[in-house]
Amino acid sequence: MIVKLHPDSLPPYYIDFARREFLSRASMADFPVDPPFVRVETEVAAGVDDSEWPTGRSVDRLLWAIGHSAFGGQLAPWLVPSVRYGLTGWPNFTEIEHTMFDLRMTAQLSNYPLTVTQLIEVSKTSPEAVHRVVNAFSLLGVLEEPTRLVVSPSVIASAPAQSADSTPKGGFLARLLNRWGR
Amino acid sequence: MKPSAHQDPTLIAHGRAVLDELSASCRSLVYATLVSDDGFEVVSLTEDGNGRMASMSSSMQAIAEAVTHELKIGPSEYVIIASKLGHVVQLRIPNQALVLSSLFGINETLGKALSASRQSAAQLASLITGRS
Amino acid sequence: MGAGKTTAIQSLSDIDVVRTEAVNSDRETVDKPTTTVALDYGEIMIGDDEKVRLYGIPGQKRFEFMWQILKQRAVGMLLFINNDGPDPIAEMLEFLSYFEDLYQRGGAVVAVTRSDISPTPTLDAYYSALASARPDMSVPVFSVDARNTEQLKTALIALILNVETREAMQTIEMPNG
């Protein structure tokens, strides 16, 4: 089955979930933030000739972008702020555009499941930034409600800030990122 | 197709002959092994207790050659490890991807151990090139 | 063997890599002309007095003594797995088990190479295997081209972040409740 997404005023995106690839004449840089409408078709899209197009790109890239852009900075309606979430794995960041904040949130949730409320507190940043990355985790299918390790609220309060900006303060990692110009 | 060194019966036979002669000429010899550059044992005089000497010898040879290359002092000629109970003398078989590593008892002088090892290496090189 | 460790260190290193390659006589296992027999050594220069030391060690079992030497000294591990190998997932689990002490002390990231040549197992399959065999481990798994410096940097950053996050939050562990 091919899913066809047709955002307003952009070429369509064709998603083949079986192959986990998507095709589009539009580049990822064109991907809209908060489009006014998106038409979704789930019939096999007739006339798709992928031999004319380059090899399909990983659908995770598209889902990650959609997760960040959708819902206007609010938490996706199927997610609950008071439920603890962890990650079943890391997004494949070697092929997905990402920020240091995305990496930090991934490291946090993959090791220590937290509620969205706790994650906002740990990150010491805007709820919108946390919502966007959690929505993206969810769309990628890596978000889970674990039964293992939880963290005391006192630990949350005293945890070092995981800033939303891309240049963490001090420390070895900061110096390495500075060296690499990231 | 030419067999790998450690699977070449002719080379194994030559190696055994050379190691036997080394053992006969040096009573202080405790252990000797002929190994491929990538750590496979071709032939040994006695069993290496945990089977790691072949790979360790190849690693040592590679590190020694990396050091001499880094220092730009010409190719590594031999490696010696001196310890309380014996000396390991290791050197490349001339022009071959093979290393001879020998353990001599503490009663043997380093000079004699090195000389015997060099002689064995040259002898094996002659046997190999004479064959090919 | 043949997963791209030497290539990866060359891609990351700011210095000429010290290599210890020998002619590969085991072409049946991996058909490449040379193989690492001791270690590859590279450095990432961070400042005048600070550097990241990179050690690439052979993956063949006969060089296990090198694994023992490095695992006592390393602070983290990038485990390169050749997706074109006979059983990449089993290989991953075996190495993670061997280096469990290093994982506990620091961290590990799995870098799956050659997935362009061999698309399976998928990354999901690696995570499923980890969840089943090692639910106690949190190990990122990425697809990586060993020649791609930016991908390698991402993997290394993830490794460091994972280590720092676990260090920072290892204050209290409570049972679920």
Side-chain angles (χ1 to χ4, degrees):
Chain A
M1 181 186 74
I2 306 288
V3 172
K4 180 180 176 182
L5 296 183
H6 208 145
D8 180 40
S9 74
L10 276 181
Y13 292 77
Y14 297 92
I15 304 174
D16 184 340
F17 284 102
R19 285 165 46 189
R20 295 191 65 81
E21 289 183 352
F22 78 96
L23 296 169
S24 178
R25 296 191 191 281
S27 75
M28 290 306 298
D30 297 331
F31 196 81
V33 177
D34 297 332
F37 70 86
V38 177
R39 190 169 75 240
V40 180
E41 299 171 22
T42 57
E43 300 297 325
V44 173
V48 176
D49 182 4
D50 60 12
S51 66
E52 297 177 351
W53 294 352
T55 303
R57 292 168 279 178
S58 167
V59 73
D60 286 355
R61 297 181 64 188
L62 183 61
L63 293 175
W64 186 255
I66 292 173
H68 272 84
S69 305
F71 309 112
Q74 300 298 310
L75 197 62
W78 60 84
L79 298 176
V80 180
S82 59
V83 168
R84 286 190 192 90
Y85 294 109
L87 297 182
T88 58
W90 285 55
N92 192 23
F93 285 128
T94 51
E95 294 191 1
I96 295 175
E97 290 85 5
H98 59 275
T99 65
M100 272 305 300
F101 180 73
D102 294 334
L103 291 176
R104 287 189 178 279
M105 293 300 99
T106 308
Q108 176 65 63
L109 282 189
S110 64
N111 283 288
Y112 297 96
L114 297 173
T115 67
V116 174
T117 305
Q118 288 175 326
L119 193 57
I120 292 170
E121 195 175 339
V122 165
S123 69
K124 296 182 171 49
T125 186
S126 70
E128 288 75 21
V130 172
H131 293 160
R132 289 183 187 279
V133 73
V134 173
N135 292 342
F137 289 145
S138 181
L139 276 192
L140 242 57
V142 298
L143 204 64
E144 66 165 0
E145 293 181 43
T147 54
R148 57 183 177 91
L149 183 66
V150 300
V151 184
S152 156
S154 63
V155 174
I156 302 298
S158 61
Q162 311 236 14
S163 173
D165 69 36
S166 61
T167 51
K169 316 285 186 292
F172 169 75
L173 182 57
R175 295 192 293 279
L176 179 62
L177 292 171
N178 188 54
R179 167 73 179 76
W180 280 345
R182 283 202 174 197
Chain B
M1 192 172 94
K2 189 180 171 192
S4 302
H6 61 290
Q7 296 167 324
D8 183 345
T10 305
L11 177 60
I12 292 170
H14 286 323
R16 178 153 300 286
V18 168
L19 292 189
D20 286 344
E21 193 164 327
L22 177 63
S23 176
S25 66
C26 282
R27 288 160 68 171
S28 60
L29 185 70
V30 175
Y31 171 76
T33 184
L34 181 68
V35 309
S36 67
D37 267 6
D38 61 339
F40 288 106
E41 178 187 295
V42 176
V43 63
S44 292
L45 262 186
T46 56
E47 281 297 313
D48 156 25
N50 51 22
R52 297 195 296 185
M53 277 313 299
S55 46
M56 293 180 101
S57 299
S58 73
S59 298
M60 272 201 309
Q61 188 68 25
I63 290 177
E65 290 175 358
V67 169
T68 59
H69 177 79
E70 184 77 13
L71 295 174
K72 299 181 175 57
I73 53 176
S76 163
E77 294 187 355
Y78 51 85
V79 176
I80 290 180
I81 300 175
S83 73
K84 190 175 179 181
L85 298 179
H87 308 302
V88 175
V89 177
Q90 179 168 306
L91 67 168
R92 176 173 293 288
I93 307 301
N95 304 309
Q96 302 296 325
L98 296 166
V99 172
L100 173 64
S101 183
S102 309
L103 170 62
F104 296 87
I106 196 63
N107 293 325
E108 190 62 84
T109 63
L110 264 179
K112 171 80 184 290
L114 184 55
S115 173
S117 297
R118 278 174 159 161
Q119 200 168 342
S120 295
Q123 183 184 1
L124 183 56
S126 294
L127 285 172
I128 293 171
T129 54
R131 166 174 68 105
S132 55
Chain C
M1 184 182 180
K5 299 180 293 297
T6 300
T7 304
I9 289 187
Q10 284 185 305
S11 299
L12 279 171
S13 181
D14 291 325
I15 66 168
D16 289 337
V17 173
V18 177
R19 299 173 58 168
T20 53
E21 299 273 297
V23 171
N24 174 27
S25 61
D26 189 16
R27 299 293 284 257
E28 287 182 3
T29 301
V30 173
D31 189 16
K32 60 187 195 121
T34 62
T35 187
T36 301
V37 293
L39 53 83
D40 300 316
Y41 177 75
E43 291 178 353
I44 300 171
M45 306 305 298
I46 298 180
D48 290 339
D49 300 322
E50 193 172 26
K51 63 178 88 171
V52 176
R53 292 188 174 87
L54 306 170
Y55 296 91
I57 54 177
Q60 299 97 315
K61 200 77 166 42
R62 64 184 184 275
F63 293 105
E64 187 185 344
F65 63 92
M66 289 301 304
W67 307 352
Q68 288 186 9
I69 294 170
L70 266 298
K71 84 171 179 177
Q72 292 169 6
R73 290 164 169 76
V75 296
M77 175 175 72
L78 282 181
L79 175 60
F80 285 82
I81 298 291
N82 180 359
N83 215 39
D84 197 29
D87 196 344
I89 289 181
E91 191 178 29
M92 171 191 71
L93 292 174
E94 187 178 345
F95 277 112
L96 286 178
S97 178
Y98 186 92
F99 287 98
E100 178 162 0
D101 289 347
L102 175 53
Y103 167 82
Q104 295 295 346
R105 201 172 68 240
V109 165
V110 174
V112 178
T113 61
R114 299 175 183 261
S115 51
D116 54 332
I117 296 169
S118 178
T120 56
T122 63
L123 297 187
D124 285 345
Y126 280 89
Y127 279 118
S128 291
L130 277 168
S132 176
R134 297 308 306 258
D136 55 315
M137 281 188 164
S138 169
V139 180
V141 182
F142 301 125
S143 64
V144 166
D145 182 334
R147 301 159 297 184
N148 188 314
T149 306
E150 291 307 308
Q151 289 186 354
L152 292 166
K153 287 179 178 178
T154 296
L156 190 53
I157 290 169
L159 173 63
I160 298 168
L161 255 182
N162 225 18
V163 173
E164 287 191 350
T165 300
R166 290 169 65 201
E167 282 176 355
M169 301 293 281
Q170 255 172 9
T171 313
I172 297 173
E173 289 190 11
M174 291 166 52
N176 194 24

